Amino acid sequence: MRLFRFIAVLLIVGYSHQVEAQRKSKNGPPEQIAPTIGTAPKLVVGIVVDQMRYDYLTRFWEHYGQGGFKRLVNDGFNCRNNHFNYAPTSTGPGHASVYTGTTPSTHGIIGNHWYDKVLDEEIYCASDDTYQSLGTESEAGKMSPHRMQVTTITDQLRLHTQTRGKVIAVALKDRGAVLPGGHMANAAYWFHGSGEGHWISSSFYMDDLPQWVKDYNLSDAVAQYKKPWTTFKDKGSYVESVLDNNAYEGLFQGENAPIFPHDLVALWDANEQFDILKSTAYGNSITTDFALAALVAEDLGADTITDFLAVSFSSTDYVGHMYGVDSKEVQDTYLRLDRDLERLLNSLDKEVGANEYSVFLTADHGAVQVPSYLKDKKIPAGYMEYEDIKSTFDTFLKYTYGTTDIVKHFSNYQFFLDHKIIENLDLEVGQVQERIAKELLTYDAVYQVYTADQMRQNQYTRGIPYILQNGYNQKRSGDILVVLKPGFIKYPKTGSTHGTPQIYDTHVPLLFYGKGFKKGSTVKRTEIPDIAPTLAVLLGIAFPNGTTGTPLEMVLD
């Protein structure tokens, strides 16, 4: 009897819920309850921290304040196993992949520079001589995103809103602003140092700089950072880093040792004046200052039509390249960046509203620890320069093919062959690729080698070949792809670099915070191309037209 009553109650409850869900209108069929579609944020802020390894979050955690990285992690969603799923892992491809939702195999930005097989010359990912510099007489403003072959999430926002939603992109590096801004940005601004210290742009976006940018450049907003670079906290508390004076770090011109404080005033003229600021923690503060000025001057997030502010912090990369992953300079740069993020979030609270904006933070690549440091710690590591193998390699080419000209170019760990010479020698391209690949595999620093034929003919789903294939563009990439051993790099003996498919270059942070995002974390693997489609779902707009990533359902509220 009790069981009968229990079943009856369930049926009644279920029926009442069904009636509630399908309320009858007076003159028609049951009224269907529409699924809830959340209101889009007034502003999306995309943050890319150049060369940020994931472990910078954890390594410096105890030094961070409550309002920067900790606010994003504790009150947002942390994807702890986030990776680039392609190589080369460098700045141009990184920014393009974050914003297009796909990889170089589709968007075409296969490096910062690459050899153009049609033009027979090396080209830069953002250069465009058909446009003019704005804000400088130099060539530094002749840029556009024309080499990026698909749309970005920022393009899709502009298309969706009939260009009513604004897109502004800001970075010290031109490529860090041009590529995230996409093809339809209202403006992209980057920093030109030298003797000027100005924020500049390209006539691709506008005919002249806005008055607020001109006024900003006339102010002392940048010049105030012409001062010694001292540590944010007591240097002795930076126990998470190696000794300040060591053999693994580079030097500014005129310095005798890579130690704090760095007297930027004394070093100014010997290091191209304002350019020196890029390689200090102050470069991120300069970027934050200008981004906040843009937020106010452009009225971003001022109405219900979603705007987008893309900010890339480039100084983390400059500092990492000069001083290395384990340096006190890197630690100080991240502690100061933490305070800049706090300033940015507090300003967003004030100008847009605490619950009216959405943020993501990620990186464009990671970085390797300095191999010379690793070697001293008895960890396998080392260096390889093309010049180191050139003599042996040239001898092989002459003996096998009668000429070294069969190889036209080497860049981004890729060899480009001269197909005309191969044809004249009555050889098959695929056979030449395979023969050269086998030779390269005999060299000590080389870990794996793949050919263009392998990239085209196979479908890899895991491991290094999967990562290489996602970075391989059939029209733009080379004939032979070389992977060095873990811990081996093609770089000087001081400082850190990146570019490989190894995990230290692929594992980077991915944080979501603000309107439309849950609080939490996951150790499930996520990949960089997942960011743009996740934002598209958040905003209710079309995916970028080359998207290969998947929306991250677990981060969406």
Side-chain angles (χ1 to χ4, degrees), residues 44-47 72 345 348 357-361 511-514 517:
V44 176
V45 180
I47 301 173
L72 295 175
L345 293 172
L348 292 170
Y357 63 89
S358 306
V359 176
F360 74 84
L361 182 148
L511 308 175
F512 293 95
Y513 170 87
F517 295 126

Side-chain angles (χ1 to χ4, degrees), residues 366-379:
V368 66
Q369 290 175 290
V370 181
S372 54
Y373 168 72
L374 294 177
K375 288 178 68 176
D376 285 348
K377 297 300 181 182
K378 301 181 180 179
I379 293 175

Side-chain angles (χ1 to χ4, degrees), residues 105-127:
S105 63
T106 300
H107 62 60
I109 304 299
I110 64 170
N112 293 335
H113 298 82
W114 67 85
Y115 173 71
D116 188 299
K117 292 182 279 191
V118 176
L119 298 176
D120 190 23
E121 64 183 27
E122 189 161 290
I123 59 173
Y124 177 59
C125 63
S127 63

Side-chain angles (χ1 to χ4, degrees), residues 5-156:
R5 285 181 177 177
F6 180 70
I7 294 173
V9 168
L10 288 179
L11 290 173
I12 291 170
V13 171
Y15 177 74
S16 65
H17 279 244
Q18 184 180 17
V19 170
E20 178 65 19
Q22 294 185 335
R23 294 189 298 269
K24 288 184 177 291
S25 63
K26 291 182 179 180
N27 300 308
E31 176 185 282
Q32 299 296 322
I33 305 302
T36 300
I37 299 179
T39 303
K42 292 182 177 180
L43 178 66
V44 176
V45 180
I47 301 173
V48 177
V49 183
D50 205 324
Q51 203 188 114
M52 184 175 183
R53 293 163 52 108
Y54 178 82
D55 62 354
Y56 289 158
L57 277 179
T58 56
R59 185 171 136 206
F60 306 138
W61 183 259
E62 296 304 322
H63 290 275
Y64 292 143
Q66 296 301 314
F69 285 116
K70 284 187 176 180
R71 178 177 175 183
L72 295 175
V73 171
N74 293 334
D75 296 334
F77 199 98
N78 181 9
C79 297
R80 296 158 62 187
N81 186 24
N82 182 63
H83 292 268
F84 282 88
N85 62 341
Y86 69 84
T89 42
S90 50
T91 300
H95 284 78
S97 298
V98 167
Y99 281 85
T100 61
T102 189
T103 63
S105 63
T106 300
H107 62 60
I109 304 299
I110 64 170
N112 293 335
H113 298 82
W114 67 85
Y115 173 71
D116 188 299
K117 292 182 279 191
V118 176
L119 298 176
D120 190 23
E121 64 183 27
E122 189 161 290
I123 59 173
Y124 177 59
C125 63
S127 63
D128 193 339
D129 288 337
T130 63
Y131 294 97
Q132 300 304 312
S133 300
L134 301 180
T136 179
E137 295 297 319
S138 74
E139 304 283 299
K142 292 187 173 184
M143 303 288 166
S144 86
H146 74 286
R147 291 193 169 95
M148 186 165 56
Q149 298 177 318
V150 297
T151 63
T152 59
I153 188 65
T154 46
D155 287 329
Q156 297 301 151

Side-chain angles (χ1 to χ4, degrees), residues 260-272:
F260 281 108
H262 298 281
D263 190 348
L264 306 187
V265 178
L267 300 168
W268 194 257
D269 290 334
N271 293 272
E272 300 187 52

